[in-house]
Amino acid sequence: MKKQILAVVLGAVLAPAVLSASTNFDIQKIGDGVYAVIVKPPNFVGCNGAIIINKDDVLIVDSHYRPSMAAEVIAEVKKLTPNPIRYVVNTHWHNDHTQGNDAYVNAFPNVEYLSHINTRRDIIGKAIPSIAESLATLPADIQTMEKAAAALTDPAAKTRQLGVIADRKAYLEELKHMQITLPTLTFDHSMILHRGTREIQLLYFGRGHTAGDVVVFLPKEKILISGDLITNGIPFFRDAYPAEWTSTLKGVSHLDFDTLVAGHGPVQTGKSQMLRLIAYMDDMVGSVRKAANEGKTFDEVKASLDLSKHKDGLAGFVGPLGNELAVKRTYDEAKGLVP
């Protein structure tokens, strides 16, 4: 998920104390030795993650969009514990969750990377090639932004635009040297780590946001780290499998958790946000597939579909559809256009 507007969902947000605040993240304690790594707005390309400090080592969930962001997390870990980082979990292949991988092996040569087998495949086939694509297009994008900034007359707007340009230039420099270290341990259904008295479950319930989404579940602490299967609004559907996603979420919903670190947005308490998302997706997928099977065009589906009853509590809900990309991906899947 490269861009998503983040907002607070009333009634579904836990507000742990911020123990430390780096440039891009707030570190929030959510359990004994467990910390949510929450990206700070207005960073719209960063993802959330987690730090799990065990008796002898540390496990990290997701490595973020840039090696420099991963380096921020490493610095925060060193403030919390002398234990080495032993594991990094990639919840799925998207670049904002994997492009920081290299920072960990550089700092901790014995680190192992854990993921679903489909995630490793897609890092190779999708995430790594997209770096080359960004290297090819980003310089021209920066030039376009610089021309737009030069034409701005509002000082505040110009300052904001120049800040964005500086950030893009810094990112371009990182891209020139970026590699995504591949997962070294993969699984197809589940993997359980026993680290001292802590049990860490890595679970795959099926395809959803991507083909390889895994969740990290701490049964004793009742903490779930979901990746982008769940966000504080309607997740990004570009690479999704809509007809299977609701079933996957329903499987996840049976886990006994009180605290949820979603892929984007604030820490959540309970299952209310997940249940809102399931209700929206059940309604949307069922309606769109029915219309597609009846031979309706996508434009006809857009004109007739109204999902507004689901808008409360789903951040970024736009118009009667909620999210047009979600509806389009669902329609394309129903028509057999999704591989």
Side-chain angles (χ1 to χ4, degrees):
M1 174 178 177
K2 292 189 177 179
K3 294 183 180 179
Q4 181 173 0
I5 297 175
L6 306 179
V8 172
V9 182
L10 297 178
V13 175
L14 187 68
V18 176
L19 298 184
S20 182
S22 64
T23 301
N24 288 289
F25 304 105
D26 288 329
I27 310 300
Q28 302 175 3
K29 185 172 183 178
I30 55 174
D32 184 18
V34 186
Y35 301 83
V37 180
I38 303 300
V39 69
K40 296 195 295 191
N43 185 338
F44 297 130
V45 294
C47 75
N48 294 337
I51 300 165
I52 302 173
I53 300 174
N54 305 309
K55 180 177 180 292
D56 299 312
D57 55 35
V58 178
L59 180 144
I60 300 292
V61 182
D62 283 328
S63 68
H64 310 291
Y65 194 54
R66 307 182 187 185
S68 60
M69 291 179 174
E72 287 183 42
V73 177
I74 291 171
E76 295 299 323
V77 170
K78 289 180 177 179
K79 294 176 186 177
L80 295 169
T81 178
N83 292 356
I85 294 173
R86 183 74 177 87
Y87 303 102
V88 174
V89 177
N90 291 136
T91 59
H92 60 290
W93 71 265
H94 282 167
N95 298 65
D96 58 326
H97 295 254
T98 59
Q99 286 188 168
N101 275 9
D102 207 39
Y104 289 96
V105 74
N106 288 338
F108 301 93
N110 294 323
V111 70
E112 298 277 8
Y113 295 84
L114 315 179
S115 81
H116 190 264
I117 53 176
N118 291 343
T119 291
R120 190 180 195 278
R121 178 201 67 196
D122 288 340
I123 290 174
I124 294 170
K126 298 176 181 180
I128 291 174
S130 75
I131 293 176
E133 294 169 8
S134 295
L135 280 170
T137 60
L138 191 53
D141 292 341
I142 291 172
Q143 288 184 348
T144 300
M145 287 188 287
E146 287 177 330
K147 290 179 181 178
L152 291 173
T153 56
D154 178 58
K158 177 169 268 189
T159 297
R160 286 193 298 272
Q161 182 73 349
L162 291 175
V164 172
I165 292 168
D167 179 77
R168 292 288 85 191
K169 287 181 176 179
Y171 177 54
L172 177 59
E173 290 306 307
E174 286 196 66
L175 271 179
K176 291 176 182 177
H177 309 285
M178 188 179 293
Q179 298 180 28
I180 300 180
T181 303
L182 293 174
T184 52
L185 293 172
T186 60
F187 60 95
D188 55 0
H189 295 294
S190 65
M191 177 184 292
I192 300 177
L193 301 177
H194 300 276
R195 312 307 299 162
T197 59
R198 193 190 304 282
E199 180 178 310
I200 305 171
Q201 298 183 7
L202 312 182
L203 305 172
Y204 178 71
F205 286 88
R207 299 194 299 183
H209 177 63
T210 68
D213 302 280
V214 299
V215 299
V216 179
F217 178 51
L218 305 179
K220 179 181 176 182
E221 296 83 356
K222 294 189 176 183
I223 293 172
L224 178 71
I225 304 147
S226 71
D228 286 0
L229 277 175
I230 306 163
T231 65
N232 70 323
I234 301 171
F236 196 43
F237 268 74
R238 182 192 64 194
D239 304 299
Y241 299 87
E244 300 171 53
W245 198 340
T246 50
S247 176
T248 296
L249 281 179
K250 288 172 184 176
V252 176
S253 73
H254 292 301
L255 296 173
D256 183 17
F257 65 88
D258 296 326
T259 302
L260 190 157
V261 180
H264 298 265
V267 174
Q268 300 175 18
T269 181
K271 301 181 180 181
S272 58
Q273 184 66 8
M274 177 186 291
L275 296 177
R276 288 188 188 102
L277 181 60
I278 290 172
Y280 166 80
M281 289 174 62
D282 259 345
D283 192 357
M284 184 270 290
V285 171
S287 299
V288 172
R289 291 184 69 84
K290 180 176 182 294
N293 291 335
E294 291 172 351
K296 292 184 179 178
T297 67
F298 178 62
D299 285 341
E300 289 173 333
V301 172
K302 284 200 303 179
S304 61
L305 188 61
D306 188 350
L307 300 165
S308 299
K309 66 181 179 181
H310 299 289
K311 67 180 179 180
D312 291 341
L314 287 177
F317 196 103
V318 177
L321 301 180
N323 184 298
E324 185 172 326
L325 176 60
V327 174
K328 181 64 164 65
R329 180 74 173 182
T330 303
Y331 182 85
D332 287 347
E333 182 184 56
K335 289 295 188 179
L337 303 176
V338 172

